[in-house]
């Protein structure tokens, strides 16, 4: 009687668990854009197909094994007054079968797995767009040698052309993660790692550092902005105008004050406003098009006047441990600097 109740209870638990899984699966991944389950590029699709294959095998095995188990529970249930069942001590045939079948399944899964490893590790062709990725505590630098353009925290890519990422770190180990286009790859200070992908759908996709890299690891986000080829070329052409001697015409008095503060407060020691010929090894992110970015401080804040002022006044209150010092600027000075910077689009 006791056994019967326990079996019944576990049956209901299994049923409830299955229903819960189905309910959770129904919450579509569209609402959670930082997902690997909604691939938007060829590299990500290879990994997703592999996951699908493995899950299908796993579901088949689960249904088969649990089906036999549930059948056995009900079919061979003991009744009151039954004699003691026949005792056995192992069955060689059965043991061989349940060793060989999983071995065959694993061998079958290994074929597409090994193929995917080779496909994703392959070197992209010569027509790929090379982009250098540098991880910093706690932001991302992106350099386009082909166009002599540098930017930060927002990686612009063309749809339909493979991009070849050549990646490194300026300090500790980070991991560049592009959930919907590719995978995660650790980046190191002393060697180059590579990854490639071809975006298939335009849009704005979030990504995130995938390796614990210090206190603000969680605020080391980036965005992939995939454009149609024409729009991408327009972006490149625009970025190529963001050079050193740029004068922004028709700006306010606040802008002029901000421009002076940019020099007198020493901002330019760590940040460059040059997208073209940008100096290497800068401590802070390149700000040539900061006004056009969606976020500030590597995804920490939405890019608004208010947030820019808050950030300049006291970055440590927002991102404790960040390398940017508190410059002791007044509210008014911060507003002027924000006006100056946000005009850089
Ligand atoms: Cu960089 Cu975590």
């Amino acid at each position: 009687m006791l056994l019967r109740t326990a079996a019944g209870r576990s049956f209901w638990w299994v049923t409830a668990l299955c229903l819960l899984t189905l309910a959770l699966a129904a919450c579509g991944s569209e609402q959670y854009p930082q997902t690997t389950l909604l691939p938007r590029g060829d590299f990500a699709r290879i990994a997703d197909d592999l996951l699908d294959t493995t899950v299908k095998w796993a579901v088949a095995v689960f249904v088969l094994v649990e089906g036999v188990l549930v059948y056995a529970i009900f079919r061979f249930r003991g009744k009151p007054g039954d004699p003691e069942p026949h005792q056995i001590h192992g069955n060689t045939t059965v043991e061989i079968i349940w060793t060989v079948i999983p071995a065959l399944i694993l061998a079958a899964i290994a074929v597409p797995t090994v193929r995917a490893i080779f496909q994703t590790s392959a070197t992209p062709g010569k027509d790929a767009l090379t982009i250098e990725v540098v991880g910093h505590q706690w932001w991302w630098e992106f350099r386009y040698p082909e166009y002599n353009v540098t930017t930060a925290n927002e990686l612009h890519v063309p749809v339909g052309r493979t991009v070849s990422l050549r990646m490194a770190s300026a300090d500790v180990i980070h991991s560049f993660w592009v959930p919907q286009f590719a995978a995660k790859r650790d980046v190191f200070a002393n060697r180059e790692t590579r990854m490639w992908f071809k975006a298939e759908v335009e849009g704005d996709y979030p990504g995130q550092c995938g390796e614990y890299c210090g206190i603000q690891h969680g605020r080391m986000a980036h965005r992939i902005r995939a454009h149609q080829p024409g729009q991408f070329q327009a972006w490149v052409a625009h970025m190529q105008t963001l050079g050193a001697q740029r004068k922004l015409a028709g700006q306010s008095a606040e802008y002029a004050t901000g421009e002076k503060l940019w020099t007198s407060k020493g901002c330019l020691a760590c940040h460059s406003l040059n997208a073209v010929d940008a100096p290497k090894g800068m401590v802070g992110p390149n700000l040539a098009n900061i006004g056009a970015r969606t976020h500030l401080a590597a995804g920490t804040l939405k890019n608004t006047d208010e947030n820019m002022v808050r950030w300049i006044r006291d970055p440590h209150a927002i991102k404790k441990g960040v390398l940017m010092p508190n410059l002791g600027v007044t509210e008014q000075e911060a507003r002027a600097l924000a006006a100056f910077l946000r005009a850089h689009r």
Side-chain angles (χ1 to χ4, degrees), residues 135-140 171-175 187 208-214 216-220:
H136 296 256
Q137 280 177 316
W138 290 278
W139 58 280
W140 295 98
D171 36 57
V172 300
I173 299 172
H174 305 272
S175 181
V187 298
Q208 161 71 41
C209 178
E211 172 80 38
Y212 182 71
C213 56
Q216 292 299 346
H217 156 70
R219 294 198 180 93
M220 187 167 168

Side-chain angles (χ1 to χ4, degrees), residues 16-287:
L17 211 60
C18 290
L19 288 174
L20 182 69
T21 312
L22 281 174
L24 286 176
C27 305
S29 43
E30 291 282 357
Q31 306 160 48
Y32 308 103
Q34 195 160 295
T35 174
T36 53
L37 300 177
L38 212 62
R40 293 288 185 243
D42 50 359
F43 187 118
R45 198 175 309 285
I46 293 170
D48 192 56
D49 287 348
L50 195 58
L51 179 69
D52 283 355
T53 307
T54 316
V55 168
K56 278 174 194 157
W57 277 102
V59 167
V61 170
F62 178 82
V63 169
L64 193 72
V65 171
E66 296 306 307
V68 171
L69 182 67
V70 170
Y71 173 78
I73 286 171
F74 289 99
R75 175 70 181 77
F76 303 108
R77 179 181 293 188
K79 291 173 199 72
D82 276 358
E84 174 90 352
H86 172 61
Q87 301 295 306
I88 57 161
H89 301 281
N91 182 324
T92 312
T93 314
V94 172
E95 282 165 23
I96 288 173
I97 290 171
W98 76 42
T99 305
V100 169
I101 291 178
L104 290 175
I105 293 174
L106 289 179
I109 293 174
V111 174
T113 305
V114 171
R115 188 169 55 220
I117 291 170
F118 277 95
Q119 282 174 330
T120 54
S121 313
T123 309
K126 291 236 181 302
D127 53 342
L129 169 63
T130 298
I131 303 174
E132 294 167 2
V133 176
V134 186
H136 296 256
Q137 280 177 316
W138 290 278
W139 58 280
W140 295 98
E141 179 178 355
F142 304 118
R143 305 180 76 99
Y144 298 71
E146 186 177 324
Y147 304 119
N148 193 18
V149 155
T150 297
T151 189
N153 295 332
E154 290 191 358
L155 178 66
H156 293 253
V157 298
V159 166
R161 183 177 174 193
T162 299
V163 293
S164 169
L165 306 178
R166 306 183 63 161
M167 309 191 288
S169 168
D171 36 57
V172 300
I173 299 172
H174 305 272
S175 181
F176 190 62
W177 183 31
V178 199
Q180 285 181 270
F181 291 114
K184 276 181 193 152
R185 284 272 194 280
D186 281 7
V187 298
F188 306 89
N190 58 353
R191 69 181 167 97
E192 184 185 272
T193 37
R194 295 188 176 197
M195 189 160 63
W196 60 266
F197 66 88
K198 183 165 74 188
E200 288 166 352
V201 185
E202 62 182 307
D204 198 353
Y205 303 91
Q208 161 71 41
C209 178
E211 172 80 38
Y212 182 71
C213 56
I215 186 172
Q216 292 299 346
H217 156 70
R219 294 198 180 93
M220 187 167 168
H222 61 86
R223 296 187 93 76
I224 310 281
R225 309 193 68 176
H227 308 282
Q228 289 301 332
Q231 287 168 322
F232 176 75
Q233 283 308 325
W235 176 80
V236 169
H238 169 69
M239 290 299 282
Q240 285 173 332
T241 66
L242 308 185
Q245 262 67 55
R246 186 162 50 123
K247 273 285 164 220
L248 294 172
Q251 295 296 337
S252 59
E254 206 174 33
Y255 175 96
T257 311
E259 190 173 21
K260 287 199 191 85
L261 287 165
W262 173 259
T263 311
S264 64
K265 290 289 180 185
C267 310
L268 76 184
C270 298
H271 298 281
S272 172
L273 289 171
N274 294 4
V276 179
D277 291 328
K280 288 197 173 185
M282 295 297 273
V283 175
N286 186 292
L287 300 180

Side-chain angles (χ1 to χ4, degrees), residues 306-323:
E306 284 311 313
N307 283 340
M308 179 83 92
V309 169
R310 274 177 63 205
W311 174 255
I312 293 169
R313 286 213 67 190
D314 194 359
H316 289 257
I318 295 161
K319 198 165 170 177
K320 188 177 161 60
V322 69
L323 289 181

